[in-house]
Amino acid sequence: MEGNRDEAEKCVEIGRQALQAGNRDRALRFLRKAQKLYPSDHARVLLEAIVKNGSAAGNGPYCRKPGGAGERSRPGGPQDRPPAGPESGKGYSKDQVEGVLSINRCKNYYEVLGVPKDAGDEDLKKAYRKLALKFHPDKNHAPGATDAFKKIGNAYGVLSNPEKRKQYDLTGSEEPACSHPNNGRFNFHRGCEADITPEDLFNIFFGGGFPSGSVHSFSNGRAGYSQQQQQHRHSGHEREEERGDGGFSAFIQLLPIIVLILVSLLSQLMVSNPPYSLYPRSGSGQTIKMRTANLGVVYYVSKEFKSEYKGTLLQKVEKSVEEDYLTNIRNNCWKERQQKTDMQYAAKVYRDEQLRQKAESLSMDNCKELERLTSIFRGG
C-alpha cells in the first residue's frame, strides 16, 4: 500500500485542479482513484465536500483557445472565483485569469497548444513560444498560472517527441499520466509526460529567461511587457519561423535535451544506495535504529554499518541523514499547507462551515517540526 502513495498524491493533485476548473466529474474520478490507491484524509474530505453539495461544482466547461470568443461561464461558479494561493497576492488581469482557466480546462495536449492533430514541428514550436511567454509565472501571476505553464510545457514535450506523440494519440487524454509512479525529475516510463521539466524546456527555448529587448522594469521592481514590445517580439519570432530551420537546425535545438537525458541516465546508473534509511527496510537489512548526534534524527542501518562507519565517516553519514530528513519535512509541510488551502477553498465554494473548521483544526505536524528545526539552526 505504501508504494501507491506517490500515485495517489498525483491523482489527488489532478482532482484538485479539476475541482478548481469546475470539472466535478473529473475531480470525483481522480479523488476516488486516489482513495483506492492510498486512502488519505485530504482526498476523503474533498470527496465528501463534492458529494455533499451535489452538482454545485458543475460538470466542467469546455476548453477554448485563450483569448477566443464563445466561452461559457457561470457567474459565481468556481471558475469565476480563482483559488487563493501564493500567486494571488500579485497583480493580474481578468484576461490572464480567463486564459489560465481556459488552459486548465483543456482535455488534451492539442487543445492546450491550440494546434490541429496533424500539426508539424514548426507549428508546435510557434504555438509553444507564444503560450510559454504568456503564461510563464514570472509574467503571469493569475491563480493557476504555474499549473497552466506546466501543462503547456508538458504538451509540447510530448507532441514534439514522435514516440511519445504516437503513444499519446492512442490514449487521447492526460489521464494515464497518474497510473505510473514518478521516480525522479525526468520521467522515462510515462508515456503522457515529457522527459524534461517545463522550466528547463523554457530555458532551452529562451536561454534561461525572457528574450532580451522585450522586458522593462516598472517602479515596483517587477519585470513587465509593453504592448509594442510584445508585438515586436512576436513579429520577430514569426519571421524567424517563416525562414525555416531545416533538419540539421532542428537536431541542434534538440541536442541539449538529448544531453540532459543521457546525463540523467548515467547519473542514475552510477549512484549507489545510501547506507541508511529514514524508515526501517527489511529487504535491505536496514532495521537497526540509530539517532544522529546533532539533531537526534532517527535513521536505520544494517548490521555491518557500525563496523564500517566511524569517526569522520559517521559524521558525514549523519549529516546526510539530517539533510534528507529536513528535505522530507519541508516537502511534507508544503503538502500540509496545500491540503489546508484546498479544504479552505472547497469550504468557501460550497459555503461549508464544518469543512472550514476542519481545515482550521489540521494538526500541521510537519510544519511544526520544521519550525522547531529552524529555531535550532537559528539558536546555533
Side-chain angles (χ1 to χ4, degrees), residues 45-46 339-347 355 358-359 362:
V45 169
L46 291 178
Q339 177 184 1
K340 186 172 184 178
T341 299
D342 291 343
M343 291 173 65
Q344 290 172 334
Y345 170 72
L355 183 58
K358 187 174 293 186
L362 289 176

Side-chain angles (χ1 to χ4, degrees), residues 62-72 98 102:
Y62 63 88
C63 168
R64 67 169 177 85
K65 190 174 181 180
E71 179 182 4
R72 293 179 294 182
E98 292 176 350
S102 177

Side-chain angles (χ1 to χ4, degrees), residues 199-228:
E199 192 65 43
D200 286 341
L201 179 62
F202 184 89
N203 291 339
I204 290 172
F205 262 81
F206 301 109
F210 292 104
S212 60
S214 62
V215 181
H216 65 275
S217 297
F218 290 121
S219 58
N220 62 359
R222 298 293 300 178
Y225 288 74
S226 68
Q227 183 176 5
Q228 182 178 3

Side-chain angles (χ1 to χ4, degrees), residues 160-309:
S160 63
N161 184 314
E163 294 182 4
K164 285 187 173 290
R165 184 172 181 174
K166 182 178 180 180
Q167 183 175 350
Y168 177 76
D169 286 341
L170 295 176
T171 63
S173 70
E174 298 173 85
E175 294 179 11
C178 87
S179 63
H180 304 287
N182 184 2
N183 294 320
R185 188 179 183 187
F186 296 93
N187 304 303
F188 297 99
H189 306 293
R190 299 176 68 167
C192 292
E193 288 198 3
D195 289 334
I196 188 170
T197 65
E199 192 65 43
D200 286 341
L201 179 62
F202 184 89
N203 291 339
I204 290 172
F205 262 81
F206 301 109
F210 292 104
S212 60
S214 62
V215 181
H216 65 275
S217 297
F218 290 121
S219 58
N220 62 359
R222 298 293 300 178
Y225 288 74
S226 68
Q227 183 176 5
Q228 182 178 3
Q229 289 169 324
Q230 288 179 346
Q231 291 173 349
H232 175 73
R233 169 172 49 78
H234 290 155
S235 62
H237 283 157
E238 290 170 358
R239 287 195 297 271
E240 181 183 349
E241 298 282 340
E242 291 171 357
R243 287 196 297 268
D245 293 329
F248 181 74
S249 179
F251 173 76
I252 294 298
Q253 289 184 353
L254 291 175
L255 189 58
I257 300 178
I258 297 173
V259 172
L260 285 173
I261 293 173
L262 291 175
V263 170
S264 179
L265 282 172
L266 289 174
S267 63
Q268 289 182 7
L269 292 173
M270 295 174 64
V271 173
S272 59
N273 293 327
Y276 64 87
S277 172
L278 296 179
Y279 307 96
R281 292 181 177 176
S282 56
S284 60
Q286 295 172 335
T287 57
I288 299 177
K289 184 177 180 180
M290 296 186 66
R291 288 182 181 272
T292 62
N294 184 28
L295 298 179
V297 175
V298 174
Y299 65 104
Y300 296 85
V301 298
S302 63
K303 295 179 180 179
E304 299 80 13
F305 179 86
K306 292 184 178 180
S307 60
E308 295 178 1
Y309 294 89

Side-chain angles (χ1 to χ4, degrees), residues 78-139:
Q79 71 272 29
D80 294 315
R81 290 194 300 272
E87 298 170 315
S88 60
K90 303 174 183 177
Y92 51 85
S93 66
K94 181 179 179 181
D95 288 341
Q96 288 178 323
V97 173
E98 292 176 350
V100 167
L101 291 174
S102 177
I103 290 293
N104 287 332
R105 290 190 194 107
C106 291
K107 304 298 183 184
N108 62 63
Y109 288 151
Y110 294 100
E111 291 183 359
V112 171
L113 296 180
V115 297
K117 288 194 174 182
D118 59 351
D121 290 342
E122 294 304 316
D123 293 329
L124 292 174
K125 290 177 186 176
K126 187 174 180 179
Y128 172 76
R129 285 191 178 103
K130 181 178 179 181
L131 292 173
L133 288 169
K134 183 176 181 180
F135 289 94
H136 194 283
D138 285 349
K139 179 188 174 185

